[in-house]
Amino acid sequence: MSSSSDLFARALQLIPGGVNSPVRAFRSVGGTPFFTKEARGATLITADGRELIDFVGTWGPAIHGHNHPRIKAAIAAALEHGTSFGTPNPYEVEMAELIVRFVPSIKKVRMCNSGTEATMSAIRLARGFTKRDKIIKFSGCYHGHSDSLLIKAGSGALTHGNPDSAGVPVAFAQETVVLPYNDVPALTAAFAANPGKIACVIVEPYCGNVGFIMPDAGYLAQLRAACTANGALLIFDEVMTGFRIAKGGVQERENIVPDLTCLGKIIGGGLPVGAFGGRADVMDYLAPLGPVYQAGTLSGNPLAMAAGIASLRLLEELNPYARLDQLGRQLSAAVLAAAKAKGLPAQVPQCGSMFSIFFTATPVRDYATALTGDAKLFARFFHACLAQGVYLAPSAYEAGFISTAHEGAAIDRACEVLANGIKGL
Ligand SMILES: *Cc1c(COP(=O)(O)O)cnc(C)c1O
């Protein structure tokens, strides 16, 4: 078996930067990435044979831990019947029924293959439905890598010091109004400056791609009210928070009804899946019923549906949210106590199984305050933890994810390692 360094050397010859998604390259923390040959429960096993306690969870999907036996069995059972049909299949119906049960604001839903497809299609749908072109997004919110949305888009772009990607036409960017998150006056001003022009507001209701940031009390309700008052659709991008913050996502926890919701990550149980859904009158604008085109060769793929269905059923059965929140609290308390003992300013926003660690004295409530976090110090902390067997996301601007598989020894050990990491800074 090749080592991580051998594999990376080979990858660098053929794959740009050696990776198929930029943040995996460790550019913001330095060093070279490890390769994973196997993952189970809370553990990654590297190509070099190291076992790491994983808080990346394949960037969100692995809420039940890696390679959960029930999800594995569901994929294996589906595999017996074929890998793709190109016709409607029974799994798609079961998935749609589960989604509308979990997320009541969703009356109709369309499956796709990634979170990026979900947000891109939801935006097109909002534009088609409202017959308006402009959209509002918030700096630091990431909604995948489609053109209109890759503007001030959080971690990946931040890490590379290049918030606006080359290759996005200026004319596209001009249709995207970017505002600070948690800033109601800025929102009101943007609507006033663009009367009758805003198709939708898209938001990560809890931000997870600039580190983890929660809204001020009442902020999401203000977003809802402003959209309603101005005839714009409110799109919650819950690709990361859906099924994670609560069974019904942030909208359940905050009691807000968006017009459209984007889903991904957990909904695929570790296979590539996305979905978007919401109001029936809006969703009926999609082809073949309506004029907004959206399609996918592998959309509703039976293996991906089977994995996602198993993942959602497990959530329904286990209702793990209170337990996950306890694990999250344990972790954030350990980090804060260690930082205090060291006299190091730190913010550890946490809700349920999402958290992040910012080394700053400034409370983090938006993109600008997230940037006050000491990224160099985070890089040293990251490597100290990795050396001791704990894998945090390799960027100061990513959320951490806890799974049910962390309960017990893994979380206790991780708290110890994180505390030691801070002590050694
Ligand atoms: C991950 C993510 C996306 C993009 O999903 P992909 O499956 O990577 O395309 C979109 N929105 C949010 C909030 C995400 O966290």
Side-chain angles (χ1 to χ4, degrees), residues 35-108:
F35 281 59
T36 301
K37 63 172 183 185
E38 193 179 333
R40 53 178 123 86
T43 307
L44 295 182
I45 302 158
T46 73
D48 317 290
R50 291 192 68 204
E51 295 201 2
L52 303 173
I53 301 172
D54 175 28
F55 286 100
V56 183
T58 187
W59 301 94
I63 195 166
H64 304 296
H66 293 285
N67 213 4
H68 190 282
R70 282 270 294 276
I71 298 175
K72 199 168 133 183
I75 298 170
L79 186 58
E80 287 303 308
H81 303 291
T83 56
S84 178
F85 307 139
T87 70
N89 68 63
Y91 301 98
E92 297 172 289
V93 185
E94 196 177 340
M95 177 61 102
E97 286 167 354
L98 275 173
I99 292 171
V100 302
R101 192 158 87 229
F102 276 49
V103 188
S105 75
I106 298 182
K107 306 299 181 198
K108 287 194 174 182

Side-chain angles (χ1 to χ4, degrees), residues 27-388:
R27 288 290 170 96
S28 86
V29 291
T32 55
F34 61 86
F35 281 59
T36 301
K37 63 172 183 185
E38 193 179 333
R40 53 178 123 86
T43 307
L44 295 182
I45 302 158
T46 73
D48 317 290
R50 291 192 68 204
E51 295 201 2
L52 303 173
I53 301 172
D54 175 28
F55 286 100
V56 183
T58 187
W59 301 94
I63 195 166
H64 304 296
H66 293 285
N67 213 4
H68 190 282
R70 282 270 294 276
I71 298 175
K72 199 168 133 183
I75 298 170
L79 186 58
E80 287 303 308
H81 303 291
T83 56
S84 178
F85 307 139
T87 70
N89 68 63
Y91 301 98
E92 297 172 289
V93 185
E94 196 177 340
M95 177 61 102
E97 286 167 354
L98 275 173
I99 292 171
V100 302
R101 192 158 87 229
F102 276 49
V103 188
S105 75
I106 298 182
K107 306 299 181 198
K108 287 194 174 182
V109 62
R110 173 69 56 87
M111 303 306 302
C112 51
N113 303 293
S114 69
T116 294
E117 281 186 38
T119 54
M120 178 185 79
S121 306
I123 296 280
R124 182 180 306 140
L125 178 58
R127 285 173 161 157
F129 181 80
T130 58
K131 303 183 174 61
R132 299 172 175 184
D133 287 342
K134 285 195 189 300
I135 65 171
I136 291 178
K137 81 174 282 290
F138 300 95
S139 46
C141 283
Y142 177 69
H143 305 291
H145 61 276
S146 71
D147 284 348
S148 310
L149 293 169
L150 206 55
I151 296 158
K152 293 256 192 294
S155 61
L158 262 181
T159 293
H160 298 88
N162 181 18
D164 301 344
S165 170
V168 175
V170 174
F172 288 15
Q174 281 169 349
E175 301 300 327
T176 303
V177 178
V178 182
L179 303 178
Y181 179 79
N182 261 334
D183 185 338
V184 176
L187 179 76
T188 309
F191 271 116
N194 297 279
K197 293 203 175 115
I198 305 290
C200 63
V201 172
I202 185 165
V203 64
E204 285 183 80
Y206 292 181
C207 304
N209 284 287
V210 61
F212 182 62
I213 303 178
M214 292 179 67
D216 295 343
Y219 176 65
L220 295 174
Q222 303 249 30
L223 275 187
R224 175 65 277 180
C227 286
T228 304
N230 290 281
L233 299 186
L234 177 61
I235 305 179
F236 270 15
D237 179 355
E238 298 225 45
V239 169
M240 192 181 266
T241 52
F243 314 109
R244 179 168 283 282
I245 288 298
K247 208 176 131 215
V250 173
Q251 56 194 276
E252 175 189 311
R253 191 169 190 273
E254 299 280 342
N255 201 20
I256 305 283
V257 181
D259 299 296
L260 293 173
T261 299
C262 301
L263 298 168
K265 298 193 168 129
I266 287 175
I267 205 175
L271 293 189
V273 182
F276 62 103
R279 275 166 51 184
D281 59 333
V282 178
M283 291 302 289
D284 284 349
Y285 258 64
L286 279 179
L289 290 181
V292 175
Y293 194 70
Q294 188 277 335
T297 300
L298 291 175
S299 294
N301 173 266
L303 299 189
M305 293 302 96
I309 290 165
S311 181
L312 298 192
R313 286 204 184 290
L314 266 175
L315 288 176
E316 198 158 48
E317 229 171 274
L318 302 174
N319 193 16
Y321 298 101
R323 278 162 53 207
L324 287 169
D325 189 51
Q326 253 169 20
L327 301 179
R329 283 167 195 264
Q330 185 184 342
L331 198 83
S332 64
V335 171
L336 284 169
K340 192 167 175 211
K342 177 84 181 173
L344 191 67
Q347 310 289 326
V348 188
Q350 173 266 331
C351 177
S353 56
M354 292 179 75
F355 67 94
S356 33
I357 301 166
F358 293 100
F359 293 115
T360 173
T362 310
V364 175
R365 54 188 300 282
D366 59 13
Y367 176 82
T369 47
L371 291 189
T372 67
D374 186 335
K376 285 212 175 78
L377 196 63
F378 181 87
R380 275 169 50 207
F381 173 63
F382 167 86
H383 280 294
C385 294
L386 188 58
Q388 294 304 309

